[in-house]
Amino acid sequence: MPYAVRSATVRTSPKPRTDGPVPRNPARSPDPPSSGPPTARTSLPGDARAPSAARRFVRSVLAGWNAHAVITDDATLLVSELVTNAVVHAGTSVDLECRLDPARGGSLVVEVTDHHPAREFRARPRQGCGDRADGPAHGGQGLRLVAELAETWGTAYRRTDKTVWFHLPTSPRDPTGPSYAVDHTLLGDLRVAEILAPGTPCEPPARDFGDSGPHRALSFLAEASELLSGQFDEDTVASLATQLAVPRLADWCAVWLDAESTPGGIRPAPRLSRVWHAHESCVEPLRLALQSTPPALAPAGRAVPWPHAPAGPCDGPSDGTAGGPAHGSALACRLVAGGRGVGTLLLGRSGPTAMSGDVVTLTEDFARRLALALASARKYTRQATISRILQRGLLPRRVAEIPGLDKAVVYEPRGDTAAGGDFYDVFAAGPDRWCFALGDVCGSGPEAAVTTGLVRPWLRLLGKEGYGVGDVLTRLNRMLAEEAAEAETGAGPRFLSLLYGELVPHREGVRCTLASAGHPLPLLLRPDGSVRSVAAPQMLLGVVDDVTYVSQSFDLAHGDTLLCVTDGVTERKAGNRLFDDGDGLATALAGCAGLTAEGVAGRIRRAVHGFAPTPPDDDLALLVLRAE
């Protein structure tokens, strides 16, 4: 029977489930009856022997249960990571339980329990000399491997212990798929627990290994996994890798990054991304010495001696033999993830002593983790670049110049995107006629981007065909309804608010005709400081397909200013108050009399940002038109 959980925090993978298991304490739970689901438990020592013992135990148990090889590999990898974290960061004995959950179709449930509930599974930051080794853990990016491979997972804290559990489905992943290949670059040689590593950053690089070597190796690899996997820029990954390796593994380190192939199939030469040396004054000389083509290696991911290591801390390459020059040794290793090379790692030491087999093995494991982090960062960068390019296409490259009219645009999408749910446009629609639009698509993400990508070209097409303002909105509304009807099932309707208008300059100013479909009404500022709203509220676009929209016309005389905003301005929050409560926007605009369009836009923007201490939580867009 499961024990009650005093307090628990549950994190789920990208496939969230709300019915995760109640974590159990393997040390206290009695064995289930023989008719119950298969269960196996063991207790492991709180030292470097634990991860290898855990791997052997899981493989043996799952072999007895006839588990699929893919499930066995996934479970072995995750258990190895969790037990390693428990040993490094909790330092207690570890209880391990595996069982099959009939409520989930016989899926595998694994629980790893340590006996230090106050410490979380996180990567310890690099400690400086004098830092307490028993201080609390900070930083860390979470158990990314568990989040990637497990169906669900979570952490339970009790008075005397802490359990991390995860579910693996019984239906295996496709072993030929790319995600499988990338995930299992970490499997390789998992003899981490038996490898001895040099000392901590507060010590010089160790040439001899003592009893604390296994724990140092586990700590080093756990920190490397957490720090490297949490980065999304490959140069940052390379920089962290060199600083992790020096001085723990070597006196100096360099990372080359393979370039992407060009459209013609030509692959540029790898570039030297980062170089690091234990003596900072030697970094630049070392970079110059290594600037040429990186070591030519077979894509096996194995560390091999490199015969051209710099002979001294700041000297150039040596012409030594395969055994290495007399004054230095180096290891070179291809960085391979998912069967594809992503770069090259080079580690070197000064002095005649060659690197031992233990260091070679540890270097290979470090290189696998570095390769996986580089592949993930490169994939993220590629996707982010594509996203930015597509998002830029949702906005006009430039807004049209209109005779006799000064204009300004403020556009600030929420977050790090290049374009959000708000959009704007100002374009020439014919001889002496211009149109403008300011819209806000309901929703966010790809669906909102699709709607924006449809609406802006439709507006330009309808405007240039000569349709009036009301007719443009009416036809646009019907087109949205038709598009929603033809869209895939589950895509849902496409709603948006829109302010659309037409501008015709004349001798006394500019004739403006506009209509608002569910959008905040524009405000007209006169030179005397008076402010009034123009246009009338009408139905949101995309809600009802048989609506007829109407427009209103007025003149922008010399000195008049028209302010158009999205609800990111009017609904800016500060506690329970909104920026436009009590006509707050009109009050702010009244103080802008006599300012240029840029001046008005800047003042309103500052007022919106200053309304609350926190950044805006919605897209922000303003369009200011001022008759000169």
Side-chain angles (χ1 to χ4, degrees), residues 68-127:
H68 194 282
V70 176
I71 301 300
T72 300
D73 283 347
D74 283 351
T76 302
L77 176 59
L78 296 186
V79 166
S80 182
E81 288 292 310
L82 292 181
V83 173
T84 297
N85 272 313
V87 171
V88 171
H89 302 302
T92 69
S93 61
V94 180
D95 296 322
L96 174 61
E97 176 179 314
C98 303
R99 68 178 183 273
L100 298 181
D101 186 354
R104 290 177 176 266
S107 65
L108 175 66
V109 182
V110 178
E111 298 175 1
V112 176
T113 302
D114 69 67
H115 300 279
H116 199 313
R119 292 189 181 179
E120 299 182 20
F121 285 98
R122 291 184 178 178
R124 191 187 307 274
R126 296 186 70 186
Q127 296 166 343

Side-chain angles (χ1 to χ4, degrees), residues 117-467:
R119 292 189 181 179
E120 299 182 20
F121 285 98
R122 291 184 178 178
R124 191 187 307 274
R126 296 186 70 186
Q127 296 166 343
C129 300
D131 288 349
R132 289 180 56 85
D134 58 350
H138 301 285
Q141 300 294 329
L143 298 176
R144 298 177 65 88
L145 277 177
V146 183
E148 287 293 330
L149 296 183
E151 183 181 37
T152 58
W153 70 285
T155 306
Y157 297 92
R158 289 176 290 270
R159 184 178 301 170
T160 59
D161 53 44
K162 175 177 75 274
T163 296
V164 178
W165 56 266
F166 63 83
H167 263 130
L168 283 177
T170 52
S171 56
R173 293 180 297 145
D174 178 10
T176 64
S179 62
Y180 177 89
V182 172
D183 291 336
H184 284 71
T185 55
L186 290 183
L187 276 173
D189 180 5
L190 282 173
R191 292 176 293 164
V192 177
E194 295 82 29
I195 300 173
L196 307 181
T200 66
C202 298
E203 305 167 349
R207 308 306 181 193
D208 298 318
F209 305 118
D211 293 337
S212 62
H215 191 276
R216 289 173 179 167
L218 291 174
S219 180
F220 170 74
L221 290 171
E223 180 183 7
S225 290
E226 293 289 345
L227 291 179
L228 296 178
S229 64
Q231 307 303 321
F232 301 116
D233 176 77
E234 58 182 352
D235 285 311
T236 302
V237 172
S239 179
L240 284 172
T242 58
Q243 295 177 63
L244 281 166
V246 177
R248 294 189 229 190
L249 293 180
D251 292 320
W252 55 267
C253 180
V255 175
W256 282 265
L257 297 179
D258 291 359
E260 299 278 4
S261 298
T262 63
I266 301 175
R267 182 180 293 275
R271 64 182 178 88
L272 184 60
S273 174
R274 290 294 184 271
V275 173
W276 193 246
H277 200 290
H279 302 282
E280 290 192 34
S281 61
C282 298
V283 172
E284 282 307 312
L286 180 63
R287 179 184 296 276
L288 293 176
L290 299 174
Q291 197 65 50
S292 59
T293 304
L297 303 173
R302 296 295 180 184
V304 297
W306 190 55
H308 305 295
C314 302
D315 297 336
S318 167
D319 292 328
T321 63
H327 300 290
S329 60
L331 288 175
C333 185
R334 278 292 287 163
L335 302 173
V336 181
R340 300 181 62 181
V342 294
T344 302
L345 172 69
L346 185 62
L347 296 172
R349 282 183 177 175
S350 303
T353 304
M355 296 188 187
S356 68
D358 291 333
V359 174
V360 171
T361 309
L362 182 59
T363 298
E364 291 172 353
D365 205 317
F366 175 61
R368 281 192 290 272
R369 295 167 189 245
L370 172 56
L372 178 62
L374 286 172
S376 298
R378 181 166 293 183
K379 180 179 179 180
Y380 174 85
T381 301
R382 187 183 303 114
Q383 292 175 337
T385 301
I386 293 173
S387 178
R388 282 195 298 269
I389 293 173
L390 293 176
Q391 287 171 337
R392 287 196 207 106
L394 303 178
L395 299 174
R397 294 183 180 180
R398 57 183 296 273
V399 294
E401 296 294 333
I402 304 175
L405 200 67
D406 183 22
K407 63 186 181 305
V409 175
V410 172
Y411 184 78
E412 296 179 353
R414 180 181 59 180
D416 298 328
T417 59
D422 293 359
F423 66 93
Y424 65 91
D425 203 358
V426 180
F427 60 92
D432 301 322
R433 189 170 65 91
W434 287 262
C435 294
F436 68 93
L438 187 63
D440 184 1
V441 177
C442 297
S444 60
E447 282 296 323
V450 168
T451 303
T452 302
L454 293 172
V455 169
R456 200 169 66 83
W458 284 348
L459 280 175
R460 286 200 168 208
L461 177 63
L462 293 171
K464 292 181 179 182
E465 286 292 322
Y467 290 102

